Amino acid sequence: ITFDYPKASHTGDYDAVWSDFDNDGLMDLTMVQGHYSTYFRTFFLKQDTSGHFNDVTYELGLLTPNLKNTQAIETFDYDLDGDEDLIIAQIEQTPIVKPLRILRNDIGNTKNWVAVKLVAPPGVNKSSIGARVYIWAGGLFRMRELNAGRGNYAGQQPFILHFGLGDAAAIDSIKVVWPCEPGNSITVFNSPTNQIISITG
């Protein structure tokens, strides 16, 4: 991905998150930039079926000064309605403040989805950090790993793992590999879609 913007000091792509904001089964990328001026902005990049990422910020109505000079971003379904929302931290230099903005997603839950909440078995950390969840649904295969954070300036990641399923109306199976001894896993078949499900080890 190449971006065309003026070269200057103290510029940077500060943070980025993967999410499937329209639940079509393809991971999209949201990136935030920071600068001592207000030129730099937030980019919403939608993945198409060929694997290319297209800047859809303008189409989403988000090419706005309110989303410039941003520093950190995290994705989570804050209203639990089946699509991933965004929380964005900004920097304003005069005076120096760091406002938070929540962008509610109102388009993602038109496609199928499932969210997985893990309940750790004995011998696994209580939050199941490090667990991997694999989903097979109508030819779609996806994996998520449960992490706690992503390093400098990044926020706490959600402990509920979200999967967009596109047009797949049924889930063939969900496999959870727990972060402990090799081979410790559980597989659930024919799980329901369009809801949060709990899986206990």
Side-chain angles (χ1 to χ4, degrees):
I1 303 170
T2 302
F3 298 101
D4 216 6
Y5 48 71
K7 302 299 185 290
S9 63
H10 298 292
T11 65
D13 303 332
Y14 282 170
D15 199 5
V17 291
W18 294 99
S19 64
D20 184 0
F21 72 81
D22 55 356
N23 280 339
D24 65 350
L26 300 172
M27 297 300 286
D28 309 301
L29 182 66
T30 307
M31 184 181 73
V32 295
Q33 294 182 327
H35 189 270
Y36 285 144
S37 76
T38 57
Y39 178 85
F40 289 87
R41 65 177 177 90
T42 300
F43 290 86
F44 295 84
L45 306 172
K46 175 173 168 49
Q47 184 179 180
D48 62 29
T49 54
S50 69
H52 288 85
F53 290 84
N54 304 294
D55 186 354
V56 296
T57 314
Y58 178 79
E59 288 82 351
L60 293 174
L62 296 171
L63 195 60
T64 165
N66 290 335
L67 292 178
K68 290 185 177 182
N69 211 22
T70 48
Q71 183 180 43
I73 186 170
E74 196 55 71
T75 180
F76 70 119
D77 185 2
Y78 95 95
D79 52 0
L80 300 178
D81 67 344
D83 48 34
E84 295 181 279
D85 310 295
L86 292 169
I87 183 168
I88 295 177
Q90 295 177 275
I91 303 175
E92 295 180 7
Q93 296 296 325
T94 310
I96 296 178
V97 293
K98 296 185 178 182
L100 292 175
R101 298 184 186 277
I102 293 180
L103 304 183
R104 190 181 72 188
N105 184 350
D106 287 328
I107 64 172
N109 56 14
T110 59
K111 296 279 188 178
N112 294 313
W113 59 277
V114 69
V116 178
K117 181 178 181 180
L118 299 178
V119 181
V124 173
N125 65 88
K126 185 176 181 180
S127 298
S128 299
I129 294 169
R132 291 186 175 184
V133 178
Y134 301 82
I135 287 188
W136 291 264
L140 184 75
F141 169 69
R142 291 292 179 266
M143 187 277 288
R144 303 276 188 279
E145 183 173 327
L146 202 157
N147 298 304
R150 295 179 289 107
N152 186 36
Y153 280 118
Q156 168 70 56
Q157 293 183 277
F159 287 152
I160 298 177
L161 298 175
H162 185 93
F163 297 82
L165 301 176
D167 296 325
I171 297 172
D172 301 311
S173 65
I174 300 175
K175 180 179 180 179
V176 180
V177 179
W178 303 101
C180 52
E181 295 180 4
N184 191 344
S185 65
I186 184 173
T187 302
V188 178
F189 297 95
N190 301 316
S191 298
T193 60
N194 302 322
Q195 61 183 272
I196 301 171
I197 64 169
S198 292
I199 298 179
T200 304

